[in-house]
Structures are given as structure tokens and as C-alpha cells.
Amino acid sequence: AQRVTQPEKLLSVFKGAPVELKCNYSYSGSPELFWYVQYSRQRLQLLLRHISRESIKGFTADLNKGETSFHLKKPFAQEEDSAMYYCALSPWGGNKLVFGAGTILRVKS
Amino acid sequence: ETGVTQSPTHLIKTRGQQVTLRCSSQSGHNTVSWYQQALGQGPQFIFQYYREEENGRGNFPPRFSGLQFPNYSSELNVNALELDDSALYLCASSLAAQIGETQYFGPGTRLLVL
């Protein structure tokens, strides 16, 4: 069964502090993994995907196949990073998404 | 370029009724996916349409059905509404249905079943 687990419902950090949003997945094959973000009053949008190995808005995520994890990291949090973050996977062969329950990130000044 | 649009934005129905939700895909996109997002949860995949054919279905009963039209817009129909169907329904479109194709989400339709 395909499953994405985000263990934290809420993560609260101070501005300038490092951020790590945790994501673990279970899937028997090699999925594609994503982080989606939803800012206040905006629609859900793609933040980054593991296959691109890119850094978006200072965020990076490394796929660890041994630990089946895809944690999202940023060295210095900004207030504008406050949002809901969803980790998601696409099973091999298509682009349907399996989402985790999401983590609210609050960056305090 | 017009983004994904959904209608209506909100609606209220009573148990046992039927509802139709609509989605217009982004220009040039031939694939539409529907998701249900209950309060406090992540979106759950309902089904996907690719070039007017169903292309995969999640763990939802047959009373959830859909259509995709020649212009690639789509409808989600839910029959015999239950209280647990109360949720935000999201539509997403993509250029194709292959792995790696980014899904672009609409603003959602919030359905309340009383």
C-alpha cells in the first residue's frame, strides 16, 4: 500500500532558525516524491520534486531510500515561509498523487 | 494563460441528494484529477481523466463518478450524498498523465452535507 506520513501537525520556529519538515513514505517501487505548499488564501502549488534536485525559495529535500524519507529543509526560516506543507508521492507509471496529512509551519518573529 | 477554475465555490446539500462539481482545466492540459480533502487531512485521490477516459481510480465507491469533455473540462458527480462527503473537492490539471507531469490545482469547491 502507498502511504505518506508527516508526523508533525504543527512546527513552530523563530525567524532565522533552521527548519526540517519530516516526511516518510511506504511504497514497494520507486515513486516520485514532491513537496506541495499552500499559503494563506492561495491554492495548493508545487514547491519542489526530488527528481529535479533543485532548491526552491531556499528549501531542499533529499530522498533517502534506505529510511524511505523525504524531509524538507531550509537553513534559515523566513516569516513568509509560514504555510501548510504537504509531502506527496506519485506511484511509478502515472502522476496521481498520494498526500500526507500536512504540516503547518509557523515562523515567528 | 488561464489557471484551473472550479465551480461552485461553496454549496450545501442534504443527505441523499446528488451534486455535480465542475472544473475547467488549464489551457493545453488534457488530464484532470479529482481529490477529496476532509478537514485536517491531506487531499485523497478520487479519479483521473485523460483524454476523456478514466485513467485510474482511488478507493471511492461507485456513487462517485466523473466525466471529461472534448475541451478537457471535467465534472465530478456524487450520488446519494452522505454526511462524510462534506469536504473540499480539488481539481488538478496537467499536460499529460505521465509520471513527472506537474499537477496544477484549482481553488476547490467546499461541499457541506447536512
Side-chain angles (χ1 to χ4, degrees):
Chain A
Q2 306 139 16
R3 181 175 293 174
V4 175
T5 304
Q6 294 180 251
E8 303 138 329
K9 281 201 172 306
L10 171 66
L11 183 63
S12 191
V13 301
F14 283 102
K15 179 181 167 182
V19 171
E20 183 179 49
L21 299 168
K22 291 184 167 45
C23 171
N24 288 90
Y25 67 92
S26 62
Y27 180 64
S28 54
S30 295
E32 183 162 356
L33 286 142
F34 306 83
W35 278 96
Y36 275 77
V37 62
Q38 188 165 27
Y39 301 103
S40 179
R41 296 188 185 85
Q42 293 187 28
R43 59 186 67 188
L44 197 57
Q45 58 186 287
L46 177 67
L47 178 63
L48 57 79
R49 66 178 77 203
H50 92 271
I51 206 164
S52 303
R53 304 186 70 81
E54 56 197 346
S55 170
I56 304 291
K57 298 186 180 184
F59 284 98
T60 58
D62 289 320
L63 175 60
N64 185 321
K65 290 186 179 179
E67 294 182 1
T68 59
S69 68
F70 187 56
H71 304 327
L72 183 68
K73 299 178 185 179
K74 184 169 182 177
F76 308 103
Q78 303 298 315
E79 288 180 73
E80 55 266 30
D81 296 329
S82 295
M84 173 71 95
Y85 290 80
Y86 293 98
C87 182
L89 70 81
S90 267
W92 186 252
N95 71 339
K96 311 163 192 60
L97 293 165
V98 177
F99 284 91
T103 298
I104 299 170
L105 174 64
R106 282 206 193 118
V107 182
K108 302 175 286 190
S109 57
Chain B
E1 185 180 276
T2 308
V4 178
T5 60
Q6 293 185 244
S7 63
T9 53
H10 298 81
L11 75 166
I12 301 173
K13 293 285 188 177
T14 54
R15 201 167 45 178
Q17 284 188 311
Q18 179 265 342
V19 69
T20 298
L21 310 182
R22 294 178 175 84
C23 171
S24 289
S25 57
Q26 191 163 311
S27 177
H29 288 189
N30 60 22
T31 302
V32 171
S33 304
W34 286 92
Y35 296 83
Q36 181 196 65
Q37 186 172 20
L39 203 60
Q41 297 182 25
Q44 265 198 292
F45 176 71
I46 303 174
F47 44 56
Q48 182 181 77
Y49 279 84
Y50 170 65
R51 293 189 172 184
E52 303 179 60
E53 298 287 330
E54 188 179 286
N55 183 46
R57 188 179 181 93
N59 190 25
F60 280 81
R63 60 189 184 84
F64 285 78
S65 63
L67 276 176
Q68 188 178 31
F69 300 99
N71 67 354
Y72 302 130
S73 66
S74 177
E75 284 183 357
L76 164 65
N77 299 290
V78 187
N79 293 322
L81 282 166
E82 300 177 0
L83 298 181
D84 283 350
D85 296 333
S86 295
L88 180 68
Y89 288 85
L90 295 169
C91 160
S93 74
S94 54
L95 275 170
Q98 291 109 314
I99 194 162
E101 288 294 347
T102 301
Q103 294 200 23
Y104 295 85
F105 283 83
T109 293
R110 190 164 295 282
L111 171 64
L112 178 61
V113 182
L114 300 174

